[in-house]
Amino acid sequence: MKNRRGSRHSLPTTQKLTIIAQDPSVRLNGRILTTEIEIPAEEILPGPCGYRVHVIDYDSTSNLLYQPASYEMLDNGGYRDPFKRSRPAKTAAQHNDALVNDPRFHSQNAYAIAMRILARFEFALGRRVPWGSTGHQLHVAPHAFADANAFYSKQDRGLFFGYFAGDNGKPVYACLSHDVVAHETTHALLDGLRGRFLEPSSPDQAAFHEGFSDVVALLSVFSLKDLVAKLIDGSTGASRLIDQKFLQPEALKSSVLFGLAEQMGQELSKIRGKALRNSISLKPRADYAAMPEFQQPHRRGELLVAAMMNAFLEIWLKRLDRIGFIEGKKRDRSLVIDEGAAVADHLLTMAIRALDYCPPTDLSFPDYLSALLTIDREVVPDDSRFNYRGILVKSFAAYGIVPDKDADKDGTWRRSDLDLIYSRSHFDSMLRDKEEVFRFLWENRKALDIAREGYVEVETVRPSFRVGPDGFILRETVAEYVQIMTLQVGELKDALDIDPPKDMPSWRRVQIFGGGALIFSEYGQLKYQIRNRIEDSKGQSARLKYLWKTGYFDQQPDDKSHFAALHLARAMD
């Protein structure tokens, strides 16, 4: 065997591992669909355990610690995939049973999907992305408990997946669903990027975590080209042509690609609800947000999923119209799949990058739409070929979501044209140092119109490198500042002109938030100030009334995960 330590300069940068492509109920000819996904290469310790994801397979219900999966190192410094199917050693049925019944594969499935979603975020943002919890590693428990639940816990620094008996008596493992693992991993990443999105705020902010995580889970499936090729028309994908009847909007909406398989969809509705199956088929209507049922976070999150996925479908079909037919009403299968993957990749990159262009507190869906449009304009100024931004505006409007009221005519954020003081700030330090950015804020607080009321703090400063379709790099620095005031209800009217709920006790203490994102160019010049003002009396009044009505102030603090409680409440409903 070669000396592995002697060839460190040529170590592989990526590693392929086998996963279940969507979930065990998605089958063709009785076979579970598996695929190999490419993830960043790293030293994999038993678990699997890497530098960002550590699988610890402990079952708290049975007090059982499963044996960790181990990996054999190859001569090139990579690792052998122990679950890659070898033919003809195992039949398809034997291979299926081996995967579904092997806890070590469950661990690999959760690890690989989590690493893939992490890598996708880091590619889009052009930097390392922290987890929302403390520490460098996110702990993953594939068989955490016997319950129909799965959640991300900031306090416990981990993802926890349940298992339960299905209607047919067979066990259902949440960790084997690509949707569930990708969804929960996105919660952890979104919390690391915008930690205050978990603060009690508006119905939109409560719903955003759920809707955004579903969007990431759905769009990430379309880069699994071998899976899409097989599922798009329910065949094995052996034919190089696909009939146009399978590419009609309603046919695609009802396909397994846009949701969960029927069996698993029913079972996992106990964990995830039916949002993934229903969202894209949600009929356009502008008044959903005012309906009582759409005040619930999971339900309201469907509006975001419906808008994004219907836009994806329209752009995909528009691109297919350009490639024509091969014979009769049939298209080239590989081109169809490639076009879908290209659209999904572009929208997923937009969706992730838009987080940097969102205000750090009190997020609304209009805020997010303006962020989507602005970041795409920055990276892709000419959108005339496929009109992504125009289709997104139309699709969001169909569900009552329009760009922010402070946005420009095209829905993008207005660029900063303020006369600011830069001479007292150090250019290099301001691109990475919170203290330097705070000095910039202090020197320019009047021009930036930052109210003196409340505590002001710069929370993050993050350099980003975004690669556009033309290969050019957009270099930016994103800084977030927050404003916080703690007042008694009786002081709100005089201090900030906020009208609290009439039956809210005047002695109760409440926290009021504001803040903004500052986008600096590679030359240290301010491009955008994207904010929600602490002195926005109308918005702050609406926030307090919503929280008072939903009983937030009557909740007792405990250490229960926010998402565990949220998912449990939905399941009980």
Side-chain angles (χ1 to χ4, degrees), residues 8 94 107 111 114 180 185 194 200 202 214 236 258 299 384 428 442 452 486 515 526 528 534 557 564:
R8 286 186 174 182
Q94 289 172 331
S107 295
Y111 163 82
V180 174
T185 304
R194 283 290 190 265
S202 66
D214 280 347
T236 61
F258 285 89
R299 195 79 173 107
S384 59
D428 187 64
W442 181 258
R452 292 192 60 184
T486 302
L526 184 66
Y528 298 99
I534 196 169

Side-chain angles (χ1 to χ4, degrees), residues 72-207:
E72 175 190 352
M73 183 181 287
L74 303 174
D75 289 343
N76 67 352
Y79 290 86
R80 187 183 305 281
D81 180 355
F83 299 100
K84 184 176 181 179
R85 187 183 176 197
S86 57
R87 294 181 175 137
K90 289 182 178 179
T91 66
Q94 289 172 331
H95 186 61
N96 288 349
D97 291 341
L99 296 183
V100 173
N101 298 322
D102 192 336
R104 295 173 303 164
F105 173 73
H106 298 187
S107 295
Q108 175 170 302
N109 194 73
Y111 163 82
I113 295 173
M115 284 296 295
R116 180 171 181 257
I117 297 300
L118 169 64
R120 196 62 190 74
F121 269 71
E122 293 185 338
F123 167 79
L125 296 172
R127 62 177 186 265
R128 297 296 180 196
V129 179
W131 304 116
S133 51
T134 58
H136 303 294
Q137 292 174 311
L138 183 72
H139 297 148
V140 177
H143 310 98
F145 43 75
D147 193 10
N149 205 350
F151 58 86
Y152 155 65
S153 172
K154 185 187 190 82
Q155 296 86 349
D156 299 311
R157 298 187 298 171
L159 307 181
F160 300 89
F161 299 97
Y163 62 92
F164 56 97
D167 293 339
N168 60 5
K170 294 183 178 180
V172 176
Y173 299 101
C175 67
L176 292 183
S177 168
H178 177 279
D179 155 52
V180 174
V181 178
H183 178 99
E184 302 306 334
T185 304
T186 302
H187 277 314
L189 290 166
L190 179 53
D191 190 28
L193 289 165
R194 283 290 190 265
R196 293 192 178 274
F197 284 180
L198 288 180
E199 298 282 357
S201 182
S202 66
D204 279 4
Q205 181 163 290

Side-chain angles (χ1 to χ4, degrees), residues 543-556:
R543 172 181 175 269
L544 280 181
K545 289 175 182 177
Y546 168 72
L547 295 178
W548 180 249
K549 181 180 178 181
T550 55
Y552 165 76
F553 294 104
D554 296 327
Q555 295 177 7
Q556 296 298 317

Side-chain angles (χ1 to χ4, degrees), residues 54-73:
H54 183 187
V55 178
I56 304 174
D57 200 358
Y58 175 68
D59 183 343
S60 62
T61 300
S62 59
N63 193 26
L64 176 65
L65 180 64
Y66 287 92
Q67 181 179 358
S70 297
Y71 293 82
E72 175 190 352
M73 183 181 287

Side-chain angles (χ1 to χ4, degrees), residues 315 318-319 322 339 383-389 391:
I315 298 169
K318 181 179 179 180
R319 291 177 67 130
R322 290 172 174 253
E339 290 296 309
D383 186 39
S384 59
R385 187 178 183 191
F386 296 114
N387 192 27
Y388 278 79
R389 297 194 286 274
I391 291 174

Side-chain angles (χ1 to χ4, degrees), residues 431-546:
L431 301 185
R432 59 183 57 84
D433 191 310
K434 291 191 289 185
E435 304 301 331
E436 200 68 39
V437 173
F438 185 76
R439 174 165 184 166
F440 173 82
L441 285 177
W442 181 258
E443 296 290 347
N444 293 285
R445 62 190 184 280
K446 291 184 180 178
L448 293 171
D449 195 20
I450 297 176
R452 292 192 60 184
E453 290 84 2
Y455 170 74
V456 180
E457 179 183 352
V458 175
E459 292 195 318
T460 63
V461 181
R462 298 170 174 137
S464 294
F465 301 86
R466 315 176 198 279
V467 181
D470 57 1
F472 284 91
I473 297 176
L474 175 68
R475 293 179 173 88
E476 295 179 329
T477 296
V478 182
E480 299 172 51
Y481 69 91
V482 296
Q483 297 170 272
I484 305 173
M485 288 186 71
T486 302
L487 299 166
Q488 289 187 337
V489 170
E491 300 172 318
L492 291 172
K493 185 65 177 177
D494 291 337
L496 294 171
D497 196 27
I498 296 174
D499 293 315
K502 294 181 180 180
D503 54 344
M504 199 172 187
S506 61
W507 51 263
R508 186 180 290 276
R509 294 174 68 84
V510 296
Q511 278 194 324
I512 306 299
F513 297 94
L518 302 175
I519 314 297
F520 295 97
S521 73
E522 60 185 311
Y523 306 109
Q525 304 295 300
L526 184 66
K527 295 168 63 177
Y528 298 99
Q529 181 190 19
I530 303 161
R531 62 178 175 174
N532 281 323
R533 302 167 62 94
I534 196 169
E535 66 271 29
D536 174 13
S537 59
K538 183 178 179 181
Q540 298 289 8
S541 299
R543 172 181 175 269
L544 280 181
K545 289 175 182 177
Y546 168 72

Side-chain angles (χ1 to χ4, degrees), residues 185-242:
T185 304
T186 302
H187 277 314
L189 290 166
L190 179 53
D191 190 28
L193 289 165
R194 283 290 190 265
R196 293 192 178 274
F197 284 180
L198 288 180
E199 298 282 357
S201 182
S202 66
D204 279 4
Q205 181 163 290
F208 183 76
H209 250 280
E210 295 303 318
F212 179 78
S213 297
D214 280 347
V215 167
V216 172
L218 280 168
L219 289 177
S220 63
V221 166
F222 286 88
S223 62
L224 303 176
K225 294 184 181 180
D226 56 339
L227 170 71
V228 179
K230 295 173 182 177
L231 293 182
I232 193 168
D233 59 353
S235 71
T236 61
S239 172
R240 73 181 187 90
L241 301 179
I242 180 170

